[in-house]
Amino acid sequence: MARLPQKVDARYERLKRAGRGGGSILLSKATMRYVAETATDGQFAFFEDALAGEYALRRQSRIARLKRQANFPSQKGFDGFEWLGIVFPRGFTRDDMLSLAFIDAHEDPVLFGGSGNGKTHTAIALGLLACGEGRKVAFWSTAELVSELRRANKEGTTRDALRRLGRCDLIILDEWGYLPTDPDGARLLFRVVSMCYERIALILTTNIEFSRWGEIFADDDMAKAMMDRIVHHGRLVTYDRESYRVKHALMRGEL
């Protein structure tokens, strides 16, 4: 039985929207148009349900793959997370951060505070949210990234290593400045920061004040150049509270 053009068009648009929502297109336009034109109402409903199920499975598989590739040290989300003592800057609220709008804006949250304050937990949880939206994330401790880039530099594959990082939507550099970096390491980090500037969002977790970056990176000029790029689109989130590990330590009564 011939279908009314309006009904065919409506069906066709529903199939296209399902493909966009699922993150991939399983059917050609010709096949979608054929189904829209020829399927009975029951057949179309069954086909639409089956297609939605396939898209859901593919989305779940993609998210799981993105989480594995991100190399998170744990899978900590925000369930039960304590926000007390975390101070957000003017114009950047907790809701703004959780919305992940900073990723599309290529902004750089800097999570600053003492050890055990939840900075790494926050960064991981934000990375997991990003993966859940289908975004590509890379999590590195800063010292491990420097070691990886040194190895790539020796093997002549630095450009390939940077190209892989450059495909990310979000790069998380944990423990920024916790260990001193020699000038060669600082130059490698500068290449990462320069590559990300206004292109890829960065999250840094650190307990190092900006004024001390020069001594940590063994080069005042290099530190200023990195700071200039990060501060330009940066959002300083300050953690001013007791260490979670100390607060819940088995030895607390003995400290």
Side-chain angles (χ1 to χ4, degrees), residues 200-220:
I200 300 168
L202 277 173
I203 293 178
L204 306 183
T205 74
T206 186
N207 63 356
I208 307 300
E209 298 174 359
F210 289 124
S211 61
R212 293 183 53 208
W213 281 26
E215 64 186 80
I216 294 299
F217 295 108
D219 187 322
D220 283 335

Side-chain angles (χ1 to χ4, degrees), residues 26-157:
L26 296 176
L27 305 173
S28 68
K29 291 181 180 179
T31 299
M32 286 191 284
R33 176 63 67 174
Y34 174 77
V35 171
E37 289 175 347
T38 62
T40 65
D41 288 344
Q43 289 170 339
F44 185 80
F46 174 81
F47 181 84
E48 197 172 23
D49 285 346
L51 195 63
E54 177 63 23
Y55 281 133
L57 286 173
R58 288 184 176 223
R59 177 172 172 77
Q60 291 170 8
S61 177
R62 172 170 167 75
I63 290 172
R65 184 174 68 253
L66 287 170
K67 288 180 179 179
R68 288 195 305 271
Q69 292 173 344
N71 198 35
F72 297 117
S74 65
Q75 298 280 314
K76 295 180 178 180
F78 282 116
D79 289 346
F81 185 77
E82 297 178 8
W83 292 96
L84 186 66
I86 300 178
V87 181
F88 289 85
R90 183 182 302 175
F92 186 69
T93 66
R94 181 174 79 183
D95 288 341
D96 291 330
M97 185 171 73
L98 293 178
S99 75
L100 303 181
F102 69 88
I103 295 179
D104 291 325
H106 307 138
E107 294 176 345
D108 306 320
V110 177
L111 312 184
F112 171 77
S115 178
N117 277 195
K119 303 183 301 297
T120 298
H121 185 160
T122 303
I124 292 171
L126 290 171
L128 290 170
L129 287 178
C131 289
E133 291 189 354
R135 301 174 188 265
K136 189 169 184 179
V137 180
F139 182 100
W140 285 93
S141 83
T142 305
E144 288 177 350
L145 178 59
V146 170
S147 295
E148 176 66 16
L149 292 175
R150 286 186 195 279
R151 182 192 61 77
N153 197 38
K154 288 180 181 178
E155 297 175 358
T157 59

